[in-house]
Amino acid sequence: MKSRMIAPLAVVALTAGLAACSTGDDALTPADAEALADEEVTLHVAIDEGLEDEAIEAFETRAAEFTEQHPHITVEAQEYTWTGTTFAADLAGGTLPTVFTVPFTDGRGLIERQQIADISALVAELPYADQFNETVAAAGQSADGAQWAVPVAAYGQGIHYNRALFAEAGLDPDAPPTTWEEVREAARTISEETGQTGLGMMTSSNTGGWILTTLVYAMGGRAEAVDGEEVTATIDTPDYKEALEYLHAMRWEDDSMGDEFLYDWATSHADFGAGKIGMMISGGGDYGNLVTQNAMNPDDYGVTVLPLEGDDAAVLGGGTLAAVDAKATPAEQAAAVEWIDFYYLGKLTTQEGAVADAEAAAAQDQPVGAPILPVFDKATYDRSQEWIADLINVPLEQFAPYSDRIYDQPLAAEPPAATQDLYATLDPVVQAVLTDENADIDTLLADAEQQVQTLIDRG
């Protein structure tokens, strides 16, 4: 890599009516990209915040390989982590990298508002463009099916658990809970026997609504009902009430949820990695973050699938899209697609890319081969795992309760309309239930549904 820059993200006020910077009519064509093939470009690419030196070195190894293949492109890394409460301001302020990632829930809105570049013509030329899982690919597509943003990771929610705390509490780490009642019992036992938090619950930066909705899906409910073009919020329902009453009982009857009720994604993972939380609900692919950014002992890590109870119970699924800044020049857009192909997807689709990525990670003692829910079909994923079999350095047997069962569980997409707004509206609902023993759940849900429906109707 020719140089590396770690730049802080500025936070500025979001202004109304953010102007579009890219339109479908201006989409870069393959012929345009070919004409720009030798133009000198500096490409700012996202790198996770807070990485350990070894992880940064592994990234730099891959970036150096990229620039060797593309000598006209200078790669400069910029620290970036998507956060629901600040992303809109970062987007408006122009502080994002040229290539950045967003959750599936943001894709359609960014495309409709033309706040990312239309790279669909270039993506369509990639050799695996027609091999994406259709449900996964849809998150980054415009209404006409053009792939403006590229799915690079997918997940199904799971329960992460600390095997050491399980053992200390007298629980079997190889037999994690399989029902919600067993989850509750395990949380209470961990809290009583170890003094640590039995179940850590995210509640802020849109994560409270996300995890609450995960519980609702797993118990058979949904957040929204869709009938053609009409979307109706379904929050003031027995399903949401059941999920909140479950959390209320764990908090106030069992005292198994600790004393931190403002966790977001980063802080919950930090405490889980530090051995302060026995169980937490999050995306099934969080192992890399836990060991590389939160120094978790791999021997202590365990993950299992969510219990599914109810007639229409399903695992809430989502993922990550790679997108390109709408202000990127044509040459930068072409370089960005080259980077997405190389860095994010080459390791999933080619043996050379898979081995190179695994070797770079292994050389820096980074995780290799942690099971994930693939963005392509399972056969493609299994083949990529075979390519790197000799380099896998994670305790696969500790993932078995998740990896052996996740493919058999029904997956359901996140709520389709005003998704992050819905989650944000539910954050204070979860906080209220965990901090006020007398919280009026019925009123909280009725008010939240009215607010969310207003947001949905605004579009």
Side-chain angles (χ1 to χ4, degrees):
M1 184 165 60
K2 296 182 180 179
S3 63
R4 176 168 67 88
M5 176 186 69
I6 303 297
L9 294 181
V11 178
V12 297
L14 177 62
T15 58
L18 184 62
C21 300
S22 173
T23 70
D25 293 339
D26 297 332
L28 190 66
T29 68
D32 295 332
E34 186 175 354
L36 297 166
D38 296 324
E39 183 171 327
E40 292 288 332
V41 174
T42 297
L43 190 65
H44 297 268
V45 303
I47 184 173
D48 289 341
E49 294 177 329
L51 290 178
E52 295 179 347
D53 289 344
E54 292 82 1
I56 293 173
E57 290 174 12
F59 172 89
E60 290 178 334
T61 297
R62 294 293 285 143
E65 293 169 355
F66 177 79
T67 54
E68 184 177 354
Q69 296 176 22
H70 305 84
H72 64 292
I73 302 174
T74 299
V75 173
E76 294 190 350
Q78 178 177 323
E79 281 195 336
Y80 160 84
T81 298
W82 181 92
T83 303
T85 52
T86 61
F87 175 75
D90 295 331
L91 181 68
T95 60
L96 298 175
T98 312
V99 183
F100 56 91
T101 55
V102 296
F104 280 8
T105 53
D106 278 21
R108 285 292 180 87
L110 291 171
I111 294 166
E112 290 170 0
R113 295 186 296 272
Q114 299 178 355
Q115 291 172 323
I116 59 175
D118 180 2
I119 57 172
S120 59
L122 301 185
V123 174
E125 293 296 306
L126 297 174
Y128 45 79
D130 61 350
Q131 296 173 22
F132 287 111
N133 177 296
E134 291 183 5
T135 302
V136 167
Q141 293 175 350
S142 59
D144 63 1
Q147 198 76 47
W148 284 49
V150 183
V152 296
Y155 70 84
Q157 297 282 66
I159 298 176
H160 304 264
Y161 64 96
N162 186 301
R163 293 173 60 87
L165 289 180
F166 262 58
E168 185 180 344
L171 303 170
D172 184 355
D174 295 323
T178 59
T179 68
W180 287 113
E181 183 57 34
E182 288 179 3
V183 170
R184 181 179 175 183
E185 293 172 0
R188 181 169 54 238
T189 300
I190 290 167
S191 182
E192 291 174 352
E193 297 297 326
T194 73
Q196 302 295 348
T197 297
L199 177 72
M201 179 70 185
M202 300 184 219
T203 67
S204 60
S205 299
N206 302 10
T207 61
W210 178 50
I211 301 303
L212 175 62
T213 300
T214 296
L215 283 170
V216 169
Y217 275 39
M219 294 176 177
R222 294 294 185 274
E224 296 173 353
V226 180
D227 183 7
E229 296 296 319
E230 183 177 354
V231 180
T232 304
T234 54
I235 291 171
D236 186 13
T237 60
D239 303 301
Y240 267 94
K241 185 173 182 178
E242 178 186 5
L244 286 171
E245 287 178 339
Y246 176 79
L247 295 174
H248 184 276
M250 293 183 70
R251 165 68 175 99
W252 297 104
E253 296 176 26
D254 303 344
D255 192 23
S256 63
M257 299 186 73
D259 55 10
E260 175 53 69
F261 304 113
L262 288 175
Y263 275 130
D264 60 13
W265 195 91
T267 55
S268 65
H269 284 61
D271 274 5
F272 185 83
K276 298 179 182 180
I277 296 175
M279 294 180 289
M280 70 173 182
I281 299 168
S282 188
D286 288 356
Y287 176 82
N289 169 274
L290 290 166
V291 299
T292 64
Q293 292 168 262
N294 291 292
M296 185 173 189
N297 182 347
D299 293 340
D300 294 343
Y301 178 78
V303 62
T304 188
V305 293
L306 297 176
L308 299 185
E309 301 172 359
D311 292 340
D312 197 24
V315 177
L316 184 147
T320 302
L321 298 166
V324 178
D325 185 359
K327 296 183 294 296
T329 67
E332 289 170 342
Q333 291 182 39
V337 174
E338 295 278 10
W339 173 256
I340 292 169
D341 177 38
F342 173 89
Y343 183 70
Y344 290 108
L345 295 178
K347 60 188 175 185
L348 304 177
T349 58
T350 70
Q351 183 168 0
E352 179 184 9
V355 172
D357 185 76
E359 287 178 342
Q364 301 300 330
D365 295 323
Q366 298 302 296
V368 176
I372 59 171
L373 189 65
V375 299
F376 298 105
D377 57 41
K378 188 173 185 296
T380 300
Y381 172 73
D382 288 344
R383 186 170 66 248
S384 70
Q385 291 295 89
E386 292 173 4
W387 289 333
I388 62 171
D390 293 341
L391 295 164
I392 291 175
N393 59 10
V394 301
L396 291 177
E397 66 281 358
Q398 293 169 212
F399 293 83
Y402 181 84
S403 59
D404 287 353
R405 297 169 58 196
I406 186 61
Y407 295 105
D408 296 326
Q409 290 195 303
L411 293 174
E414 294 181 80
T419 314
Q420 293 298 335
D421 290 330
L422 181 152
Y423 292 159
T425 301
L426 290 172
D427 275 2
V429 173
V430 179
Q431 292 168 16
V433 169
L434 297 183
T435 58
D436 179 2
E437 187 173 3
N438 298 313
D440 186 338
I441 291 176
D442 290 331
T443 299
L444 288 168
L445 289 176
D447 290 347
E449 179 169 287
Q450 184 176 19
Q451 293 175 48
V452 171
Q453 189 62 55
T454 299
L455 292 165
I456 291 172
D457 292 342
R458 285 178 185 170

